[in-house]
Amino acid sequence: MTKLIRETFNKNTSNIACIEAPTGIGKSVGYLLPAVLEARYAKKRIIVSTATKELQVQLIHKDLPNIINSLGLSGKVSYGYIKGKNNYICKSKFYEYKKDYNPENATYNDILSIIIIENLIKDGIYGDIEEINYLLLETFPNLQSHINKVVCDVDLCKPKKCFESCLYKKRVEELKDEDITVVNHSLLARWPYTDEKPMENIIVDEAHNLIEKGYDFFSEEIEYNALRHFLKEIYPSEFHSSSKYYKDIKDKQKRKVKLIDRFYSEIKLDRNIKQKISHNINFVFEKMEEILSFGLDEGYFSLTNYDLNWEINLQQDDKVGVLYKNNEYIQMTYRPYTQIIKSNFESILSNLQQILVLFDRNIDEDLIDKESDIYKYGKSKIKDLEDITITIGNFLEYDKDDLIARIMTISGKYNNFNLKVVPLNLADLFRENILSSLDCGIFVSATLSVDDKMDYFINTLGINQVENTKKIIKPIYNYKSRVQVINTTDIGGYKGEDFIPNMADNIKQYVKLSNSNVLSLFNSKKRLEDTYNILADDLYETNINVYMNKKGIKCLKNAEDKSIVLGSKGFFEGVDVPGDGLVFVTLDKLPNLNPTDPLYFSIMTKFNKNYFDVNYPQMIIKVKQALGRLLRSKYDYGVFVLFNMGNSTYINKKLENNLHGCIITEANRNNIQRYIYHHLKKSRKEVITTLIIDILKNKDNENKVDLVEFINSEIKKRSIKGSVKYYEDKSDKLLVEYYNIKYIVEIDKICKN
């Protein structure tokens, strides 16, 4: 792998390489080593992209320092990470906020929160909102709400022209001289720092995420609450009292003068014009409210507890449910809701465009200081308004042959909506926005292949249309031996009433059977929450802890505890727990796509694909990711339980072929305990035997520490719950105790072997 990456950097092969690197080939050796060497000796500036902000932090604080130190290059290779603007506190915005802050009932908590923010940002060293200590956020509950009001404005913040010394400006300035910069995939897709650091050499970790997230990267989106907040920001203050839509009881803070009012004053907007703007905004408010109230008034709320989610053109005749109204049963479709949405958004678009016309006609730029902060603020809001009108326009346009999905989502509580314009030609967009600018691109993941081929990955992202190299590295660990995969046959169908109680009951049993922690993964947030509620109630007075947030992952790493951690999509990857900390992973059902999901329905319709072609590759990758939580090192093992696999023998067999040789065993309540017991017993004997052999083999004979003390300390380092002691006080034999295993080890025989 290292050789292939270096050859790709030096163009001895094609300049695009796709590598499936299985668990056990660590980031440090796998791709950070060649990246560091190229940055140091070939003077190449490299961008490393990973899936999440958490993994960014891991790379910066753990993986990169380790590899740089091991190469003796400390201080000779510079590295850092950067996030999107809205992850940082803006000093200018904060001081403006502090100056205008005039709450009716200021609490000590509010005042201290503002003092904390000021102390954090004053030297320009801190300012990343995700690095603020969670104890501060817990101690000062109002702190987060104040932080939210002073984050960098995406359009307004121009670090090159800013006179403040803030963390964001500092990070942007450092990019041009930085050898390695770590980013996340979302930022990579819209890389805004080409002047400081051109996107020429990239390494993409967890590259499989680019497919699912890729559609989001290039989408346009409007959310009701965000649009409502924006319209309140540009609403002329002198007409607040006349608007029934503007009032917000949650808005306790009242500024002396809003920034938008200062902008209106600076461009000399007269009262009549501002009144027209307020009238247009009120009309937009009214039309947005009508969209939400329609679902309540027409009975859609009684048809489903879930969100309404459909492609506005392709699925308007799909059935939502049956409504009993006026003594008859009516088949309800999306069509009536679609018509209201289109009609109301046409009115919304017209009124927003009228506001833009008012701005255009009444701003005399020859008489205005274009460099003033207030003018820049106002122009950024006008730019935001233009973007909103473009998105609504794109949403309302329709051509049956265009490669665009126009998706509408109405929340199940009918208090929010979201419209999304999603381009479906992902391959073209990825090639145009990312691949075309690269001198070298390396895409790495443990799950790039399906059926031992990378066709799905490279075709979806357009990599097949440029010269590329593909490499699948076989697993270095024996999955077939160390992981038992079980398909339960008597839990019931996932839509049945007994499914969640049965699943919860099994999860409890697995903690007791394994005497260890359990990670339970879910495709449905509701199933997760319902299962958590059952487990939390049942285990309240026991020594088994139950979590359903990422804080629980830390508990998994304590092999001495018994914890159940429930997680959804974000837990399928990034959970790296060694040894006995995690030996049981469950999955509620195969992560199949919903065939009526508007995005994938659009893909099937527009590209004439069947459900299997769209669903199968993504399902395989997600199951492989879930299984991968178990086997992270040489001394890992475990049981992977699928509660609901469906009835397709063909799909199940193909899945089995993709799980590194693991056989899927069908089991019920009568025999599952026997399968689990025998697998854990066999695996634990292999683990402790291999570990003791490795410890003795690598022991430095000059080390004067007592042998038993040394072995036990090495076992503990690997999060294994075993221990050794001298057998009957004999120095040539050890008694090993590991869970329910006890046996004697002859030191001389091991050392000779």
Side-chain angles (χ1 to χ4, degrees):
M1 177 179 174
T2 302
K3 180 182 177 183
L4 176 57
I5 290 176
R6 294 215 67 185
E7 287 177 345
T8 305
F9 271 124
N10 296 308
K11 296 187 179 179
N12 295 333
T13 63
S14 58
N15 68 323
I16 304 293
C18 303
I19 306 171
E20 180 170 277
T23 301
I25 300 180
K27 292 179 175 64
S28 294
V29 175
Y31 65 77
L32 290 182
L33 172 61
V36 169
L37 293 174
E38 291 300 313
R40 176 69 178 96
Y41 299 111
K43 301 296 182 186
K44 291 185 177 179
R45 293 190 296 165
I46 296 165
I47 296 171
V48 175
S49 180
T50 192
T52 64
K53 296 169 188 174
E54 291 84 0
L55 288 173
Q56 277 185 274
V57 174
Q58 177 187 317
L59 283 167
I60 286 295
H61 294 307
K62 178 184 174 184
D63 298 323
L64 268 169
N66 285 346
I67 194 66
I68 289 172
N69 290 338
S70 68
L71 292 171
L73 294 175
S74 296
K76 298 177 182 178
V77 176
S78 59
Y79 59 93
Y81 68 103
I82 192 165
K83 304 174 184 177
K85 290 181 185 179
N86 57 358
N87 289 276
Y88 299 91
I89 295 172
C90 173
K91 289 180 77 172
S92 296
K93 200 171 178 180
F94 169 77
Y95 291 129
E96 190 75 30
Y97 177 76
K98 180 186 173 186
K99 182 178 71 175
D100 289 343
Y101 186 69
N102 184 25
E104 289 182 338
N105 300 302
T107 64
Y108 284 114
N109 200 300
D110 285 312
I111 302 303
L112 288 172
S113 295
I114 291 175
I115 292 171
I116 288 168
I117 297 172
E118 186 167 23
N119 283 328
L120 278 172
I121 65 174
K122 64 181 180 181
D123 296 323
I125 299 173
Y126 302 102
D128 184 334
I129 61 177
E130 291 187 342
E131 290 189 351
I132 295 174
N133 192 300
Y134 77 94
L135 289 175
L136 279 176
L137 297 172
E138 287 186 353
T139 306
F140 302 97
N142 295 350
L143 178 58
Q144 187 65 59
S145 65
H146 291 291
I147 290 171
N148 292 342
K149 291 181 172 69
V150 295
V151 296
C152 289
D153 187 291
V154 173
D155 295 314
L156 189 60
C157 177
K158 307 292 182 186
K160 292 179 183 177
K161 297 181 179 180
C162 182
F163 296 104
E164 295 286 356
S165 56
C166 70
L167 176 62
Y168 175 66
K169 179 181 178 181
K170 176 175 178 287
R171 286 299 303 124
V172 172
E173 290 174 345
E174 289 171 344
L175 288 177
K176 57 182 177 294
D177 298 316
E178 198 166 74
D179 296 313
I180 300 174
T181 301
V182 181
V183 306
N184 59 63
H185 295 344
S186 297
L187 185 59
L188 181 76
R190 50 183 174 80
W191 186 243
Y193 309 112
T194 51
D195 291 341
E196 291 79 16
K197 189 165 195 168
M199 190 168 60
E200 296 171 341
N201 303 293
I202 68 170
I203 298 177
V204 181
D205 181 31
E206 304 290 354
H208 64 278
N209 280 291
L210 292 176
I211 294 176
E212 191 171 0
K213 292 183 178 180
Y215 295 103
D216 289 332
F217 294 159
F218 304 111
S219 296
E220 304 165 40
E221 192 169 354
I222 292 178
E223 189 240 3
Y224 163 77
N225 287 320
L227 179 54
R228 189 170 181 273
H229 176 76
F230 170 78
L231 293 173
K232 287 174 65 177
E233 278 191 310
I234 66 171
Y235 199 104
S237 292
E238 60 196 279
F239 298 102
H240 285 178
S241 59
S242 63
S243 172
K244 67 177 182 178
Y245 299 104
Y246 185 86
K247 294 176 183 177
D248 188 348
I249 59 174
K250 295 180 181 178
D251 193 3
K252 296 179 181 178
Q253 179 183 322
K254 294 181 180 178
R255 296 188 177 194
K256 295 174 183 175
V257 180
K258 284 171 57 179
L259 288 175
I260 198 67
D261 294 318
R262 291 161 63 180
F263 171 69
Y264 292 153
S265 176
E266 184 153 323
I267 63 174
K268 297 179 173 54
L269 218 58
D270 66 37
R271 193 173 190 278
N272 282 338
I273 301 302
K274 287 186 282 186
Q275 190 171 27
K276 288 180 181 178
I277 291 173
S278 67
H279 174 77
N280 290 125
I281 293 176
N282 282 328
F283 190 81
V284 171
F285 279 142
E286 182 180 332
K287 290 299 177 183
M288 292 199 302
E289 295 297 324
E290 284 180 8
I291 289 172
L292 295 175
S293 62
F294 182 83
L296 296 170
D297 297 340
E298 297 300 314
Y300 281 88
F301 74 94
S302 65
L303 300 176
T304 175
N305 294 322
Y306 299 100
D307 296 348
L308 298 182
N309 192 31
W310 76 103
E311 211 289 338
I312 205 81
N313 298 297
L314 301 178
Q315 295 178 294
Q316 59 181 323
D317 291 320
D318 286 6
K319 293 176 182 177
V320 185
V322 177
L323 181 68
Y324 186 72
K325 190 175 182 180
N326 299 328
N327 296 320
E328 64 175 328
Y329 290 96
I330 304 170
Q331 287 280 3
M332 297 288 286
T333 70
Y334 290 110
R335 181 173 286 276
Y337 221 146
T338 297
Q339 291 170 346
I340 287 294
I341 287 166
K342 286 186 175 181
S343 172
N344 281 30
F345 269 113
E346 284 170 358
S347 298
I348 288 170
L349 178 60
S350 174
N351 276 268
L352 296 179
Q353 288 172 333
Q354 287 176 42
I355 296 173
L356 287 172
V357 170
L358 289 172
F359 283 134
D360 185 56
R361 289 177 178 173
N362 292 278
I363 296 179
D364 188 346
E365 296 193 342
D366 293 334
L367 302 176
I368 296 172
D369 178 9
K370 297 187 185 69
E371 295 302 314
S372 76
D373 289 340
I374 291 300
Y375 178 76
K376 290 178 183 177
Y377 170 81
K379 288 294 283 186
S380 76
K381 295 304 172 187
I382 293 173
K383 173 65 167 57
D384 290 340
L385 186 57
E386 289 171 346
D387 291 341
I388 290 167
T389 60
I390 290 170
T391 300
I392 294 174
N394 290 337
F395 182 77
L396 292 172
E397 286 178 7
Y398 177 57
D399 180 340
K400 66 182 181 64
D401 295 322
D402 67 14
L403 297 178
I404 295 174
R406 296 167 176 89
I407 299 169
M408 190 72 193
T409 303
I410 308 287
S411 72
K413 295 181 178 179
Y414 294 85
N415 59 0
N416 198 10
F417 64 67
N418 185 287
L419 67 82
K420 205 168 184 179
V421 180
V422 187
L424 302 178
N425 55 332
L426 182 57
D428 297 334
L429 291 167
F430 193 81
R431 191 173 64 252
E432 177 185 338
N433 288 277
I434 294 179
L435 296 179
S436 64
S437 64
L438 298 180
D439 285 340
C440 168
I442 296 159
F443 300 90
V444 184
S445 172
T447 52
L448 288 187
S449 69
V450 176
D451 298 337
D452 289 324
K453 297 177 182 177
M454 286 193 195
D455 294 355
Y456 173 66
F457 177 77
I458 66 168
N459 293 349
T460 304
L461 296 181
I463 297 172
N464 61 321
Q465 298 177 36
V466 298
E467 188 180 353
N468 66 83
T469 301
K470 300 178 289 292
K471 177 69 175 178
I472 299 175
I473 302 172
K474 296 299 181 183
I476 62 176
Y477 303 133
N478 190 339
Y479 278 82
K480 188 174 182 179
S481 171
R482 288 290 178 85
V483 178
Q484 171 82 65
V485 181
I486 295 176
N487 169 29
T488 58
T489 58
D490 57 352
I491 300 296
Y494 70 93
K495 293 183 179 179
E497 291 183 2
D498 294 334
F499 182 72
I500 290 173
N502 287 341
M503 189 164 51
D505 185 60
N506 275 262
I507 292 168
K508 286 188 295 186
Q509 296 303 317
Y510 299 157
V511 177
K512 298 170 184 175
L513 280 171
S514 65
N515 196 21
S516 183
N517 302 314
V518 173
L519 173 64
S520 291
L521 302 173
F522 292 81
N523 295 279
S524 158
K525 188 176 180 181
K526 186 176 187 307
R527 280 198 297 273
L528 184 156
E529 291 172 347
D530 290 347
T531 307
Y532 171 82
N533 291 334
I534 293 173
L535 290 170
D537 287 343
D538 291 352
L539 300 173
Y540 178 70
E541 295 183 350
T542 70
N543 63 341
I544 301 173
N545 301 308
V546 186
Y547 305 91
M548 64 171 184
N549 53 43
K550 291 202 171 182
K551 290 181 181 178
I553 294 173
K554 294 181 180 178
C555 300
L556 292 178
K557 295 183 179 180
N558 186 348
E560 301 302 322
D561 282 351
K562 291 181 182 177
S563 298
I564 300 171
V565 177
L566 288 72
S568 54
K569 188 176 177 181
F571 288 67
F572 277 62
E573 54 193 63
V575 178
D576 190 353
V577 180
D580 293 319
L582 180 61
V583 299
F584 235 106
V585 174
T586 71
L587 181 58
D588 61 340
K589 65 181 289 291
L590 288 184
N592 292 313
L593 299 173
N594 182 342
T596 64
D597 178 281
L599 172 61
Y600 296 106
F601 182 87
S602 301
I603 291 171
M604 287 186 280
T605 303
K606 299 275 188 176
F607 292 102
N608 195 27
K609 291 187 175 184
N610 60 44
Y611 175 72
F612 178 86
D613 292 336
V614 174
N615 173 70
Y616 175 70
Q618 293 204 45
M619 182 271 287
I620 290 293
I621 287 171
K622 288 174 184 174
V623 176
K624 287 169 72 174
Q625 283 289 326
L627 177 75
R629 299 315 95 212
L630 279 174
L631 211 55
R632 314 296 297 173
S633 75
K634 185 177 182 181
Y635 311 111
D636 289 349
Y637 62 98
V639 179
F640 181 55
V641 175
L642 286 150
F643 286 120
N644 188 287
M645 287 188 64
N647 300 315
S648 174
T649 304
Y650 175 72
I651 293 292
N652 294 350
K653 194 64 182 177
K654 286 182 75 67
L655 175 62
E656 192 174 71
N657 293 336
N658 279 274
L659 296 183
H660 310 301
C662 292
I663 304 300
I664 299 176
T665 302
E666 293 191 346
N668 56 41
R669 296 185 191 188
N670 295 325
N671 57 21
I672 193 170
Q673 293 190 15
R674 176 165 51 86
Y675 285 122
I676 293 169
Y677 172 78
H678 285 303
H679 177 72
L680 293 180
K681 183 178 179 181
K682 174 186 74 70
S683 298
R684 284 168 174 166
K685 186 172 183 179
E686 288 177 6
V687 165
I688 198 68
T689 303
T690 304
L691 178 53
I692 290 174
I693 289 171
D694 288 348
I695 291 171
L696 290 174
K697 182 171 63 177
N698 295 310
K699 183 181 182 299
D700 183 358
N701 291 327
E702 300 299 319
N703 191 330
K704 302 300 182 183
V705 177
D706 177 74
L707 180 62
V708 165
E709 183 182 339
F710 175 75
I711 293 174
N712 283 330
S713 68
E714 291 296 305
I715 289 174
K716 190 174 182 180
K717 285 179 185 178
R718 292 160 178 83
S719 297
I720 299 297
K721 293 169 73 170
S723 64
V724 304
K725 60 184 178 181
Y726 290 116
Y727 178 66
E728 295 181 349
D729 296 327
K730 296 178 181 178
S731 60
D732 62 337
K733 292 183 179 180
L734 299 173
L735 177 64
V736 179
E737 297 183 60
Y738 183 40
Y739 287 100
N740 59 341
I741 302 172
K742 290 185 180 181
Y743 59 96
I744 299 167
V745 173
E746 295 185 38
I747 298 173
D748 287 345
K749 285 187 177 180
I750 289 180
C751 292
K752 286 178 182 177
N753 290 334

